[in-house]
Short mmCIF file of all heavy atoms in Angstrom, two decimals:
data_model
loop_
_atom_site.label_atom_id
_atom_site.label_comp_id
_atom_site.label_asym_id
_atom_site.label_seq_id
_atom_site.Cartn_x
_atom_site.Cartn_y
_atom_site.Cartn_z
N VAL A 2 201.93 -2.46 31.27
CA VAL A 2 200.78 -2.65 32.15
C VAL A 2 199.61 -1.81 31.66
O VAL A 2 199.78 -0.69 31.15
CB VAL A 2 201.17 -2.28 33.60
CG1 VAL A 2 201.52 -0.81 33.73
CG2 VAL A 2 200.08 -2.69 34.55
N GLN A 3 198.41 -2.37 31.78
CA GLN A 3 197.17 -1.64 31.47
C GLN A 3 196.49 -1.25 32.78
O GLN A 3 196.49 -2.04 33.74
CB GLN A 3 196.22 -2.50 30.64
CG GLN A 3 196.66 -2.70 29.20
CD GLN A 3 197.74 -3.77 29.07
OE1 GLN A 3 197.60 -4.85 29.60
NE2 GLN A 3 198.80 -3.45 28.36
N LEU A 4 195.92 -0.05 32.81
CA LEU A 4 195.37 0.50 34.04
C LEU A 4 193.93 0.96 33.82
O LEU A 4 193.64 1.61 32.80
CB LEU A 4 196.21 1.68 34.49
CG LEU A 4 197.71 1.41 34.69
CD1 LEU A 4 198.47 2.71 34.88
CD2 LEU A 4 197.94 0.48 35.87
N VAL A 5 193.07 0.65 34.77
CA VAL A 5 191.67 1.09 34.70
C VAL A 5 191.28 1.67 36.05
O VAL A 5 191.29 0.96 37.07
CB VAL A 5 190.74 -0.08 34.34
CG1 VAL A 5 189.28 0.40 34.33
CG2 VAL A 5 191.12 -0.68 32.99
N GLU A 6 190.90 2.95 36.04
CA GLU A 6 190.50 3.62 37.28
C GLU A 6 189.00 3.49 37.51
O GLU A 6 188.22 3.33 36.58
CB GLU A 6 190.84 5.12 37.25
CG GLU A 6 192.29 5.46 36.97
CD GLU A 6 192.53 5.80 35.53
OE1 GLU A 6 191.78 5.32 34.66
OE2 GLU A 6 193.48 6.58 35.26
N SER A 7 188.62 3.62 38.78
CA SER A 7 187.22 3.68 39.15
C SER A 7 187.10 4.41 40.48
O SER A 7 188.10 4.61 41.18
CB SER A 7 186.61 2.27 39.27
OG SER A 7 187.27 1.52 40.26
N GLY A 8 185.88 4.82 40.81
CA GLY A 8 185.64 5.41 42.11
C GLY A 8 185.44 6.90 42.14
O GLY A 8 185.18 7.47 43.19
N ARG A 19 187.25 7.21 47.59
CA ARG A 19 188.37 6.31 47.37
C ARG A 19 188.41 5.92 45.90
O ARG A 19 187.43 5.37 45.39
CB ARG A 19 188.28 5.06 48.24
CG ARG A 19 189.55 4.20 48.15
CD ARG A 19 189.54 3.01 49.06
NE ARG A 19 188.81 1.89 48.50
CZ ARG A 19 189.03 0.61 48.83
NH1 ARG A 19 189.96 0.32 49.71
NH2 ARG A 19 188.30 -0.35 48.30
N LEU A 20 189.53 6.19 45.29
CA LEU A 20 189.75 5.78 43.92
C LEU A 20 190.49 4.46 43.89
O LEU A 20 191.33 4.19 44.75
CB LEU A 20 190.56 6.83 43.17
CG LEU A 20 190.02 8.26 43.19
CD1 LEU A 20 190.93 9.16 42.34
CD2 LEU A 20 188.60 8.33 42.71
N SER A 21 190.18 3.66 42.88
CA SER A 21 190.87 2.39 42.68
C SER A 21 191.44 2.35 41.28
O SER A 21 190.90 2.96 40.35
CB SER A 21 189.90 1.21 42.86
OG SER A 21 189.34 1.20 44.15
N CYS A 22 192.52 1.61 41.13
CA CYS A 22 193.14 1.44 39.83
C CYS A 22 193.57 -0.02 39.71
O CYS A 22 194.45 -0.46 40.45
CB CYS A 22 194.32 2.37 39.67
SG CYS A 22 195.27 2.13 38.16
N ALA A 23 192.94 -0.73 38.81
CA ALA A 23 193.26 -2.13 38.58
C ALA A 23 194.25 -2.24 37.45
O ALA A 23 194.07 -1.65 36.38
CB ALA A 23 191.99 -2.91 38.26
N ALA A 24 195.29 -3.03 37.67
CA ALA A 24 196.36 -3.20 36.69
C ALA A 24 196.34 -4.60 36.12
O ALA A 24 196.00 -5.57 36.82
CB ALA A 24 197.70 -2.91 37.33
N SER A 25 196.75 -4.72 34.88
CA SER A 25 196.84 -6.03 34.24
C SER A 25 197.90 -5.97 33.15
O SER A 25 198.31 -4.89 32.72
CB SER A 25 195.50 -6.44 33.62
OG SER A 25 195.12 -5.52 32.61
N GLY A 26 198.36 -7.15 32.76
CA GLY A 26 199.25 -7.23 31.60
C GLY A 26 200.72 -7.30 31.91
O GLY A 26 201.52 -7.51 31.01
N SER A 27 201.10 -7.12 33.16
CA SER A 27 202.52 -7.18 33.49
C SER A 27 202.67 -7.44 34.98
O SER A 27 201.69 -7.45 35.71
CB SER A 27 203.21 -5.88 33.09
OG SER A 27 204.61 -6.01 33.22
N THR A 28 203.89 -7.67 35.40
CA THR A 28 204.14 -7.97 36.81
C THR A 28 203.99 -6.72 37.65
O THR A 28 204.79 -5.79 37.56
CB THR A 28 205.55 -8.56 37.00
OG1 THR A 28 205.70 -9.70 36.15
CG2 THR A 28 205.75 -8.97 38.45
N PHE A 29 202.96 -6.72 38.46
CA PHE A 29 202.57 -5.53 39.22
C PHE A 29 203.68 -5.04 40.12
O PHE A 29 203.92 -3.84 40.24
CB PHE A 29 201.31 -5.88 40.02
CG PHE A 29 200.64 -4.72 40.68
CD1 PHE A 29 199.99 -3.76 39.94
CD2 PHE A 29 200.62 -4.63 42.06
CE1 PHE A 29 199.34 -2.71 40.54
CE2 PHE A 29 199.98 -3.58 42.68
CZ PHE A 29 199.33 -2.61 41.93
N ASN A 30 204.40 -5.96 40.76
CA ASN A 30 205.42 -5.59 41.74
C ASN A 30 206.59 -4.83 41.12
O ASN A 30 207.35 -4.18 41.84
CB ASN A 30 205.96 -6.83 42.43
CG ASN A 30 204.92 -7.53 43.27
OD1 ASN A 30 203.77 -7.13 43.28
ND2 ASN A 30 205.33 -8.58 43.95
N TYR A 32 206.52 -2.26 39.30
CA TYR A 32 206.16 -0.88 38.93
C TYR A 32 205.97 0.01 40.15
O TYR A 32 205.46 -0.43 41.18
CB TYR A 32 204.87 -0.86 38.12
CG TYR A 32 205.01 -1.42 36.73
CD1 TYR A 32 204.92 -2.79 36.51
CD2 TYR A 32 205.24 -0.58 35.65
CE1 TYR A 32 205.07 -3.31 35.23
CE2 TYR A 32 205.39 -1.09 34.37
CZ TYR A 32 205.29 -2.46 34.17
OH TYR A 32 205.44 -2.97 32.91
N VAL A 33 206.35 1.26 39.98
CA VAL A 33 205.86 2.33 40.84
C VAL A 33 204.48 2.71 40.33
O VAL A 33 204.29 2.89 39.12
CB VAL A 33 206.79 3.54 40.80
CG1 VAL A 33 206.15 4.75 41.45
CG2 VAL A 33 208.13 3.22 41.45
N LEU A 34 203.51 2.81 41.22
CA LEU A 34 202.15 3.21 40.84
C LEU A 34 201.89 4.61 41.38
O LEU A 34 202.24 4.91 42.52
CB LEU A 34 201.11 2.25 41.42
CG LEU A 34 200.90 0.91 40.72
CD1 LEU A 34 200.48 1.12 39.26
CD2 LEU A 34 202.09 0.03 40.82
N GLY A 35 201.28 5.42 40.55
CA GLY A 35 201.06 6.80 40.97
C GLY A 35 199.70 7.32 40.57
O GLY A 35 198.99 6.70 39.76
N TRP A 36 199.35 8.45 41.16
CA TRP A 36 198.14 9.17 40.81
C TRP A 36 198.52 10.60 40.44
O TRP A 36 199.31 11.25 41.15
CB TRP A 36 197.14 9.19 41.97
CG TRP A 36 196.50 7.88 42.25
CD1 TRP A 36 196.90 6.94 43.16
CD2 TRP A 36 195.32 7.36 41.63
NE1 TRP A 36 196.05 5.87 43.13
CE2 TRP A 36 195.07 6.10 42.21
CE3 TRP A 36 194.46 7.84 40.65
CZ2 TRP A 36 193.98 5.30 41.83
CZ3 TRP A 36 193.38 7.05 40.27
CH2 TRP A 36 193.14 5.80 40.86
N ILE A 51 203.55 5.28 44.94
CA ILE A 51 203.98 4.27 45.90
C ILE A 51 204.88 3.27 45.21
O ILE A 51 204.59 2.78 44.12
CB ILE A 51 202.75 3.60 46.56
CG1 ILE A 51 203.18 2.66 47.67
CG2 ILE A 51 201.88 2.88 45.52
CD1 ILE A 51 202.04 2.22 48.58
N SER A 52 205.96 2.99 45.87
CA SER A 52 206.93 2.02 45.39
C SER A 52 206.79 0.73 46.18
O SER A 52 206.35 0.75 47.34
CB SER A 52 208.35 2.58 45.56
OG SER A 52 209.32 1.58 45.48
N TRP A 53 207.19 -0.37 45.59
CA TRP A 53 207.08 -1.66 46.27
C TRP A 53 207.94 -1.69 47.51
O TRP A 53 207.58 -2.25 48.54
CB TRP A 53 207.44 -2.76 45.30
CG TRP A 53 207.53 -4.14 45.87
CD1 TRP A 53 208.57 -5.01 45.71
CD2 TRP A 53 206.57 -4.84 46.67
NE1 TRP A 53 208.30 -6.20 46.36
CE2 TRP A 53 207.08 -6.12 46.95
CE3 TRP A 53 205.31 -4.50 47.18
CZ2 TRP A 53 206.38 -7.06 47.71
CZ3 TRP A 53 204.62 -5.43 47.94
CH2 TRP A 53 205.15 -6.70 48.19
N THR A 68 195.81 9.31 51.03
CA THR A 68 196.66 8.16 51.33
C THR A 68 196.64 7.21 50.14
O THR A 68 195.56 6.81 49.68
CB THR A 68 196.17 7.41 52.57
OG1 THR A 68 196.14 8.32 53.69
CG2 THR A 68 197.10 6.25 52.90
N ILE A 69 197.82 6.86 49.68
CA ILE A 69 197.95 5.89 48.60
C ILE A 69 198.34 4.55 49.19
O ILE A 69 199.11 4.48 50.15
CB ILE A 69 198.98 6.36 47.54
CG1 ILE A 69 198.94 5.45 46.31
CG2 ILE A 69 200.38 6.43 48.13
CD1 ILE A 69 199.77 5.97 45.15
N SER A 70 197.78 3.49 48.63
CA SER A 70 198.13 2.15 49.08
C SER A 70 198.04 1.20 47.89
O SER A 70 197.44 1.52 46.87
CB SER A 70 197.20 1.69 50.21
OG SER A 70 195.85 1.66 49.76
N ARG A 71 198.67 0.06 48.03
CA ARG A 71 198.63 -0.92 46.95
C ARG A 71 198.40 -2.30 47.53
O ARG A 71 198.89 -2.62 48.62
CB ARG A 71 199.89 -0.88 46.11
CG ARG A 71 201.18 -1.24 46.83
CD ARG A 71 202.41 -0.89 45.99
NE ARG A 71 202.57 -1.74 44.83
CZ ARG A 71 203.42 -1.51 43.83
NH1 ARG A 71 204.19 -0.42 43.87
NH2 ARG A 71 203.52 -2.34 42.82
N ASP A 72 197.67 -3.10 46.81
CA ASP A 72 197.42 -4.49 47.16
C ASP A 72 198.00 -5.32 46.03
O ASP A 72 197.37 -5.48 44.98
CB ASP A 72 195.92 -4.73 47.33
CG ASP A 72 195.60 -6.13 47.84
OD1 ASP A 72 196.44 -7.05 47.62
OD2 ASP A 72 194.54 -6.31 48.43
N ASN A 73 199.20 -5.83 46.24
CA ASN A 73 199.88 -6.56 45.17
C ASN A 73 199.16 -7.86 44.83
O ASN A 73 199.24 -8.33 43.70
CB ASN A 73 201.33 -6.84 45.56
CG ASN A 73 202.17 -5.58 45.49
OD1 ASN A 73 201.80 -4.58 44.86
ND2 ASN A 73 203.32 -5.61 46.14
N ALA A 74 198.46 -8.44 45.78
CA ALA A 74 197.72 -9.67 45.51
C ALA A 74 196.55 -9.42 44.56
O ALA A 74 196.16 -10.30 43.79
CB ALA A 74 197.23 -10.29 46.80
N LYS A 75 196.00 -8.21 44.62
CA LYS A 75 194.87 -7.86 43.76
C LYS A 75 195.28 -7.00 42.57
O LYS A 75 194.44 -6.57 41.79
CB LYS A 75 193.81 -7.12 44.57
CG LYS A 75 193.17 -7.96 45.67
CD LYS A 75 192.07 -7.17 46.39
CE LYS A 75 191.41 -8.03 47.45
NZ LYS A 75 190.34 -7.27 48.18
N ASN A 76 196.56 -6.72 42.45
CA ASN A 76 197.05 -5.86 41.37
C ASN A 76 196.28 -4.53 41.32
O ASN A 76 195.88 -4.06 40.24
CB ASN A 76 196.95 -6.56 40.01
CG ASN A 76 198.03 -7.60 39.83
OD1 ASN A 76 198.82 -7.85 40.74
ND2 ASN A 76 198.06 -8.22 38.67
N THR A 77 196.10 -3.94 42.47
CA THR A 77 195.29 -2.73 42.57
C THR A 77 195.98 -1.70 43.45
O THR A 77 196.59 -2.05 44.47
CB THR A 77 193.90 -3.06 43.15
OG1 THR A 77 193.25 -4.02 42.30
CG2 THR A 77 193.03 -1.81 43.24
N VAL A 78 195.87 -0.45 43.03
CA VAL A 78 196.35 0.65 43.84
C VAL A 78 195.16 1.55 44.16
O VAL A 78 194.24 1.70 43.35
CB VAL A 78 197.46 1.44 43.10
CG1 VAL A 78 196.97 2.05 41.81
CG2 VAL A 78 198.08 2.49 44.01
N TYR A 79 195.19 2.10 45.37
CA TYR A 79 194.07 2.90 45.86
C TYR A 79 194.54 4.30 46.21
O TYR A 79 195.70 4.51 46.57
CB TYR A 79 193.46 2.26 47.11
CG TYR A 79 193.02 0.83 46.92
CD1 TYR A 79 193.84 -0.23 47.28
CD2 TYR A 79 191.77 0.54 46.36
CE1 TYR A 79 193.44 -1.54 47.11
CE2 TYR A 79 191.35 -0.76 46.19
CZ TYR A 79 192.19 -1.80 46.57
OH TYR A 79 191.78 -3.10 46.39
N LEU A 80 193.60 5.23 46.15
CA LEU A 80 193.86 6.58 46.64
C LEU A 80 192.68 6.98 47.53
O LEU A 80 191.58 7.20 47.03
CB LEU A 80 194.01 7.58 45.49
CG LEU A 80 194.38 9.00 45.92
CD1 LEU A 80 195.81 9.03 46.48
CD2 LEU A 80 194.26 9.99 44.75
N GLN A 81 192.93 6.98 48.83
CA GLN A 81 191.91 7.41 49.78
C GLN A 81 192.02 8.92 49.94
O GLN A 81 193.09 9.43 50.32
CB GLN A 81 192.12 6.72 51.12
CG GLN A 81 191.14 7.16 52.20
CD GLN A 81 189.71 6.76 51.88
OE1 GLN A 81 189.45 5.65 51.42
NE2 GLN A 81 188.78 7.66 52.11
N CYS A 95 195.53 7.29 36.99
CA CYS A 95 196.45 6.31 37.52
C CYS A 95 197.58 6.13 36.52
O CYS A 95 197.35 6.16 35.29
CB CYS A 95 195.71 4.99 37.73
SG CYS A 95 196.69 3.63 38.36
N ALA A 96 198.80 5.93 37.01
CA ALA A 96 199.95 5.81 36.12
C ALA A 96 200.93 4.80 36.70
O ALA A 96 200.97 4.58 37.92
CB ALA A 96 200.63 7.15 35.92
N ALA A 97 201.73 4.21 35.82
CA ALA A 97 202.71 3.22 36.24
C ALA A 97 204.07 3.55 35.63
O ALA A 97 204.17 3.97 34.47
CB ALA A 97 202.27 1.82 35.82
#
Side-chain angles (χ1 to χ4, degrees):
V2 65
Q3 287 79 50
L4 304 170
V5 178
E6 304 98 333
S7 61
R19 188 176 82 155
L20 306 182
S21 300
C22 174
S25 62
S27 189
T28 305
F29 190 69
N30 295 4
Y32 289 85
V33 168
L34 281 301
W36 288 94
I51 186 166
S52 163
W53 173 230
T68 302
I69 189 171
S70 61
R71 63 192 290 168
D72 186 335
N73 287 342
K75 295 183 178 180
N76 284 4
T77 301
V78 61
Y79 304 97
L80 184 69
Q81 177 66 42
C95 179

